[in-house]
Amino acid sequence: MIKTSAIIAASENNCIGLENDLPWHIPQDLKRFKSLTMGKPVIMGRKTFESIVARLGKPLPGRDNLVISRSGFEAGGALVCPDIESAVAKAKNLAEEKGLDEVFIIGGAQIYELAIPFLDHFYLTRVHIVVNGDAFLPALNEQDWREIERDDIDGTPSFSFITLERVSASRQVAP
Ligand SMILES: NC(=O)c1ccc[n+]([C@@H]2O[C@H](COP(=O)([O-])OP(=O)(O)OC[C@H]3O[C@@H](n4cnc5c(N)ncnc54)[C@H](OP(=O)(O)O)[C@@H]3O)[C@@H](O)[C@H]2O)c1
């Protein structure tokens, strides 16, 4: 089975973004993001794609980039899909062709909201600060998830790498 996972960093008040960028700079988190997603298909909303291209000058290297847009957006170096269902289906086809066992939802807020009912795994970086941003993670239903891994890291700011696994009965049908 090919797992659908999400990876996200969120503050204590579930803020994930400010002015189409991340509200913090945590190199260890970027490193973890890279090692977990490298080689695997990554699905994102049009705004997140634009913020990545603004930062890197190109789509995420070494990964198939799939962008969800309903506005006819053309994404150089990425595949544009009209909805979450077709994006996940296409990502899983690509993963199967390459013998991979996981595809990633990488944001932003609008796309996490669409994807949460279908996720198997959630890699959360909880950043231990409160931020006044403009993009927020929708609240997770705690009964649907169990924590299977946690690593608390001191720093400025401090943060925790948390892996959540869905309680299987709460998963909705495809994608
Ligand atoms: N902290 C983190 O881990 C993290 C991760 C990723 C992103 N972020 C942050 O999140 C923010 C961006 O999030 P966002 O919610 O504003 O934007 P987003 O989810 O990245 O993209 C929104 C766009 O996705 C498309 N879309 C949304 N719903 C759709 C649907 N049902 N069908 C088809 N297309 C749909 C639309 O594109 P069109 O307008 O082209 O139709 C919409 O404008 C930024 O601040 C970014 O830095 C944070």
Side-chain angles (χ1 to χ4, degrees), residues 7-10 16-24 44-49 51 68-71 73 81-84 106-112 114 134-135:
I7 184 163
I8 189 167
I16 65 163
L18 174 65
E19 293 174 355
N20 218 23
D21 205 351
L22 298 176
W24 42 73
M44 71 205 87
R46 190 260 305 164
K47 290 186 182 173
T48 293
F49 178 76
S51 83
I68 302 177
S69 168
R70 52 164 98 77
S71 67
F73 178 69
C81 301
D83 49 49
I84 185 87
I106 64 162
Q110 291 180 40
I111 300 310
Y112 289 127
L114 294 174
D134 54 23

Side-chain angles (χ1 to χ4, degrees), residues 12-135:
E12 291 289 352
N13 59 326
N14 278 342
C15 177
I16 65 163
L18 174 65
E19 293 174 355
N20 218 23
D21 205 351
L22 298 176
W24 42 73
H25 179 66
I26 304 178
Q28 270 170 282
D29 187 46
L30 299 176
K31 209 169 146 194
R32 179 178 187 252
F33 176 88
K34 187 174 174 184
S35 80
L36 283 169
T37 60
M38 188 49 73
K40 299 177 177 171
V42 288
I43 299 168
M44 71 205 87
R46 190 260 305 164
K47 290 186 182 173
T48 293
F49 178 76
E50 287 184 324
S51 83
I52 287 169
V53 171
R55 211 171 335 122
L56 301 183
K58 57 184 180 186
L60 286 172
R63 284 146 282 194
D64 288 307
N65 286 230
L66 294 94
V67 179
I68 302 177
S69 168
R70 52 164 98 77
S71 67
F73 178 69
E74 289 186 17
L79 191 71
V80 180
C81 301
D83 49 49
I84 185 87
E85 289 82 3
S86 59
V88 174
K90 181 69 191 165
K92 286 189 169 180
N93 284 343
L94 290 166
E96 196 161 13
E97 280 168 25
K98 294 178 181 178
L100 302 166
D101 65 352
E102 190 172 33
V103 303
F104 273 95
I105 307 288
I106 64 162
Q110 291 180 40
I111 300 310
Y112 289 127
E113 181 140 28
L114 294 174
I116 281 173
F118 313 110
L119 295 177
D120 303 299
H121 265 83
F122 210 104
Y123 299 94
L124 170 68
T125 302
R126 178 65 78 190
V127 184
H128 300 301
I129 52 174
V130 171
V131 179
N132 288 320
D134 54 23

